[in-house]
Amino acid sequence: MGKFSKLGFILATLGSSIGLGHIWRFPYMVGHNGGSAFVLLYLALTLSLGIAMLLVEMLIGNMGKKDVVSNYQILDPKREKYYPFTSFFILGGPLILSFYAVVLGWVLYYLFVVTFDLPKDLEQAKMQFSMLQNGSLIWPVIGFSACLLPTIWFVSRGIEEGIEKLNVVLMPLLFVIFIGLLIYAMTLESMPKALHFLFNFEIQKIDFKVVMDALGQMFFSLSLGVGTIITYSAFTPKKENLFKSSLFIVLPGILISLIAGVMIFTFVFEYHADVSQGPGLVFISLPLTFAKMGMSGQIVSLFFFMALVFAGITSTVSLIEPLALYLINRFNFSRIQASLWIGIVVYVLGVLVILSMNERYAKFLSFAHKSVFGWLDFITSSFLMPLGGLFSVLFIGWILNKKRSFLATKHFFNANAFKAWHFSVRFIAPVVILAIFILQFK
């Protein structure tokens, strides 16, 4: 089994968390939830509970050194016959990928087509987005294929030759592009307004929905509950300083989210677009603002969507790897066979997602008032991710011997730090995850 270098592990795990969730989802969630209240809650939760839960999954992988299911069995051999059910959690990654790659395909379309034909008004911006979903199937399928096929190839190459090399190149490029775009945004008059919107804390704006959405964003942005962190951590040295690694993953992720927020809302306020556009913020409001920038708008659009593609591709490989490693370890698949079989299933699901979002085919692919896209999103975000995260914290907090956890963390935690972390894992994290799981259905 290959092994990450220290930098490779950090960049790969960072790549798994920094994706459309930070750059596409975070800004529109901010816009939907009134700005600063959501931002500051998200920051507080990520820097406390998020790091604690990230350490849980890192520890399981680092101690077990195998795929997700085998790790639980190795760490608790007395009950190993019960742990095959955890294989359901790692199905979340490929299911997410089946619609994630579709959205990333839209980004490619905007990069190569819309960037060179930016909308002149709001109606044209809406029409471009609508035509992508409801017009010819050629562009959605091409975009989806162009995202999925390289993903399968990189995973088939393995940890060192595929996943690590991809992230070592793309993650620094992502930061360079985003810092350049931020510098450009700083020249615009609306930056103070964007900063006020994001950071001027107004306690009266906090309500139940804002709290739940901030918790959900924390979960989503750290790739918790789908086996990615556990799997990647299996390729790290035994004495890896997991706490330091978690900070190197969480802090740059937060930085990218905030840069994306400041940059996007500066553009939106500068050109009077709608901050509460929702998922269409990136695909409707932003192209319109780019068009209003004049000649520079095409350049800004080109680099913005290029950065989105880079962020997305580093996440797609992480969604396949947990199941690929499971098939390799448990069923003696070669890495190429595992990657191809997963890729075929994801491709079929992805084409169904594309069809289910097209008005001509939607009625044939809707069940109980949800499209294929809606069902895949619901199954992964409402069930598999929270349940996978819940089981991991219950395992470390209640099943694994506490002394064993302490011995595995003593090279980076002193006794008091360990007690605080273990208490949060044992009592606080399960309550929070259960709250997300139960209250989302109200």
Side-chain angles (χ1 to χ4, degrees):
M1 189 166 82
K3 190 167 71 172
F4 279 124
S5 66
K6 185 171 289 190
L7 177 63
F9 168 65
I10 291 169
L11 290 176
T13 312
L14 186 59
S16 80
S17 62
I18 293 181
L20 298 184
H22 280 83
I23 304 169
W24 173 55
R25 192 176 191 270
F26 177 78
Y28 85 69
M29 292 297 289
V30 172
H32 252 340
N33 287 284
S36 60
F38 175 86
V39 173
L40 295 176
L41 268 175
Y42 165 72
L43 292 178
L45 288 165
T46 302
L47 290 170
S48 54
L49 198 58
I51 290 177
M53 292 174 64
L54 192 63
L55 274 170
V56 163
E57 297 203 0
M58 284 182 170
L59 193 63
I60 293 170
N62 185 258
M63 292 174 71
K65 296 294 181 191
K66 292 283 186 180
D67 60 89
V68 172
V69 180
S70 298
N71 286 338
Y72 286 119
Q73 293 178 319
I74 289 167
L75 296 177
D76 186 27
K78 289 182 180 178
R79 286 176 282 263
E80 68 172 310
K81 66 180 180 181
Y82 298 113
Y83 290 111
F85 82 90
T86 58
S87 60
F88 286 106
F89 302 144
I90 58 178
L91 294 177
L95 294 180
I96 291 171
L97 181 58
S98 65
F99 60 85
Y100 188 98
V102 171
V103 176
L104 194 53
W106 298 347
V107 177
L108 282 176
Y109 177 81
Y110 272 72
L111 172 63
F112 291 111
V113 178
V114 175
T115 288
F116 301 100
D117 183 28
L118 291 170
K120 296 176 178 60
D121 52 43
L122 182 60
E123 286 307 310
Q124 186 182 352
K126 289 179 177 178
M127 185 187 72
Q128 285 176 328
F129 189 47
S130 176
M131 286 301 295
L132 177 59
Q133 293 177 291
N134 298 307
S136 170
L137 297 174
I138 293 174
W139 281 114
V141 172
I142 288 175
F144 169 65
S145 303
C147 295
L148 184 59
L149 296 178
T151 297
I152 296 166
W153 186 80
F154 279 114
V155 174
S156 72
R157 297 275 293 165
I159 288 295
E160 294 170 87
E161 292 300 312
I163 296 172
E164 179 167 332
K165 285 187 176 179
L166 172 73
N167 284 281
V168 165
V169 172
L170 292 191
M171 290 313 297
L173 280 175
L174 173 66
F175 276 91
V176 168
I177 291 172
F178 259 58
I179 289 169
L181 290 172
L182 179 65
I183 292 170
Y184 176 79
M186 290 170 67
T187 66
L188 302 177
E189 294 181 0
S190 292
M191 174 160 281
K193 189 174 180 181
L195 292 172
H196 184 272
F197 180 70
L198 287 164
F199 301 114
N200 182 50
F201 185 58
E202 297 172 281
I203 195 168
Q204 70 272 17
K205 288 188 176 180
I206 295 179
D207 58 20
F208 175 75
K209 181 180 182 299
V210 173
V211 173
M212 286 296 104
D213 282 349
L215 286 167
Q217 178 65 23
M218 176 206 80
F219 219 87
F220 194 90
S221 66
L222 294 179
S223 296
L224 298 171
V226 291
T228 298
I229 306 301
I230 293 175
T231 301
Y232 279 3
S233 300
F235 296 95
T236 57
K238 269 287 184 188
K239 292 294 183 180
E240 180 80 22
N241 188 327
L242 299 178
F243 179 67
K244 187 185 290 186
S245 295
S246 71
L247 293 179
F248 280 131
I249 292 159
V250 170
L251 296 179
I254 287 174
L255 182 62
I256 280 287
S257 289
L258 295 180
I259 290 174
V262 170
M263 174 184 66
I264 287 170
F265 287 112
T266 297
F267 295 155
V268 166
F269 287 131
E270 184 77 12
Y271 298 100
H272 312 291
D274 183 5
V275 298
S276 59
Q277 184 71 53
L281 181 66
V282 165
F283 296 112
I284 296 174
S285 295
L286 274 183
L288 188 58
T289 63
F290 295 149
K292 292 178 180 178
M293 291 178 185
M295 290 294 292
S296 64
Q298 283 191 339
I299 298 171
V300 175
S301 178
L302 186 71
F303 282 109
F304 176 79
F305 286 112
M306 191 184 299
L308 260 184
V309 170
F310 289 171
I313 287 293
T314 57
S315 295
T316 59
V317 295
S318 72
L319 293 169
I320 285 184
E321 180 60 23
L323 182 56
L325 186 63
Y326 175 74
L327 293 176
I328 291 165
N329 285 347
R330 310 285 290 210
F331 299 99
N332 295 317
F333 278 52
S334 70
R335 181 164 279 276
I336 292 175
Q337 285 176 322
S339 304
L340 283 175
W341 277 112
I342 296 169
I344 290 168
V345 173
V346 171
Y347 196 87
V348 171
L349 287 174
V351 170
L352 290 175
V353 167
I354 292 170
L355 292 171
S356 77
M357 299 177 75
N358 189 294
E359 289 177 348
R360 285 172 292 173
Y361 308 99
K363 62 183 178 181
F364 304 110
L365 292 165
S366 295
F367 315 96
H369 308 293
K370 285 186 188 292
S371 65
V372 173
F373 176 85
W375 274 112
L376 289 170
D377 183 34
F378 178 70
I379 290 166
T380 53
S381 63
S382 298
F383 285 94
L384 294 180
M385 288 182 75
L387 290 178
L390 177 63
F391 185 76
S392 66
V393 295
L394 290 175
F395 183 83
I396 291 294
W398 295 94
I399 298 173
L400 191 68
N401 183 276
K402 185 177 179 180
K403 184 178 180 181
R404 192 170 179 187
S405 295
F406 175 71
L407 291 174
T409 60
K410 69 176 184 178
H411 58 286
F412 57 83
F413 270 160
N414 61 32
N416 289 331
F418 174 80
K419 285 178 183 176
W421 170 75
H422 199 264
F423 178 84
S424 68
V425 167
R426 198 171 201 196
F427 297 104
I428 300 174
V431 171
V432 169
I433 297 171
L434 277 171
I436 297 172
F437 182 70
I438 295 169
L439 296 174
Q440 68 182 322
F441 298 108
K442 286 199 170 186

